[in-house]
Amino acid sequence: MLKGKLHKMLKKKKILHIVEAMGGGVFTYIVELANGISEEFDVTIAFGIRKETPENYRDYFDDRVKLVKVKNFVRNVNPIKDALACVELRKIIKDTQPEIIHLHSSKAGALGRLVFTSSKYKMFYTPHGYSFLMEDVSFMKKNLYKCIETMCGKKNCTTVACGKGEYEESCKVSRKSTYISNGINTDKLDKILKRPVLKSEEHPFTVYTVGRIGYQKKPEMFNKIASLVPDVRFVWIGEGDMKKYLVADNILITGWVKGENALELAKSGDMFILSSRWEGLPISLLEAMYMKKLCIVSDVVGNRDIIVDGKTGYICHSAEEFAETIKKARLTDNSDIIENAHNEIVNSYNSKLLCVKYKELYRGKK
């Protein structure tokens, strides 16, 4: 009997993360979370492949983290594929027997909350940016997405927003919400920051951004900003189907770059900008703040959750305002702002703190 009780005490709780959007910031997030809790919990990740998913994705995870590919996960609504994905997920749940299910992104959040209704699972959902806040969809689709979130929000599931802005939105559509801010692996960044910066004597002043070149990141505004500051080099670390909008002579597009190499390129930049139409809580911005780059961002949820204008960076509303801010910032001492931003990451947005809070949540102490 004592042996049985001891076994129960030592047995790890099983957590199943369901991640359709296994790329970009969500990928970084899930890597840090899964690795950070794998010593205490038995972690399985059911995931879908995206263009942005690294080919060597397995190498990013702790050996204790189990990975199961969901073949029928697709980004857009597809009734046949979605139904097949649900069949796959049911089998994965049957095989893994999780006590906790954590859904990530709108697609997985909708499928999971509609299909897996058993009260024997503790269920959590993190949107990583609500679909109804996206600007590249019609008014009707936005309303449809919001209706789906509101309907699913009545289920026995806790929404865990990744920032204050997302939390405020979640309170409108979910009956139970909390938030745990995104965090970055500062130990990994410290190792990269200790390496010599790859700059030559001819290195021009460089403004950079990181991410998929798509509608969300507003590449046409990035292009206009670059054209207004022709004596500055602009670098876009990433790739995407809207790179045709980046035509200014002073823009360099790196293409897809592996995580650590992307950080090496970012390290050699002088200033970071984010001209997004919407955000969840952008990992690239957190990384830039920690690397002590002056950050200039658009006034949207996610960006303004982190950046306090004039205190931890600058918030702009137009290409002209971005350009003027860049010009002025080059001639101004912004060391206090840069230091404030760095300290904000150290104190509030690091992955160790993220994992501590999630462990409390999964244990039922939050």
Side-chain angles (χ1 to χ4, degrees), residues 21 26 50 75 104-107 125-134 145 149 159-163 165-167 169-170 182 216 278-282 301-302 305:
V26 176
R50 283 196 174 184
R75 184 172 190 163
H104 298 269
S105 77
S106 298
K107 184 67 172 286
Y125 162 55
T126 300
H128 298 286
Y130 277 111
S131 294
F132 61 78
L133 296 177
M134 298 190 304
Y145 293 152
E149 288 287 356
T159 299
V160 189
C162 60
E166 187 167 270
Y167 171 69
E169 293 296 331
S170 74
N182 273 358
Q216 177 194 357
W278 72 89
E279 286 289 350
L281 199 70
V301 170
D305 291 343

Side-chain angles (χ1 to χ4, degrees), residues 123-142:
M123 193 172 287
F124 301 97
Y125 162 55
T126 300
H128 298 286
Y130 277 111
S131 294
F132 61 78
L133 296 177
M134 298 190 304
E135 292 190 13
D136 59 341
V137 296
S138 66
F139 178 75
M140 286 182 66
K141 275 192 175 181
K142 281 186 183 182

Side-chain angles (χ1 to χ4, degrees), residues 328-339:
K328 288 178 183 176
R330 288 185 69 186
L331 304 172
T332 309
D333 179 7
N334 291 286
S335 55
D336 286 348
I337 289 174
I338 289 168
E339 198 61 36

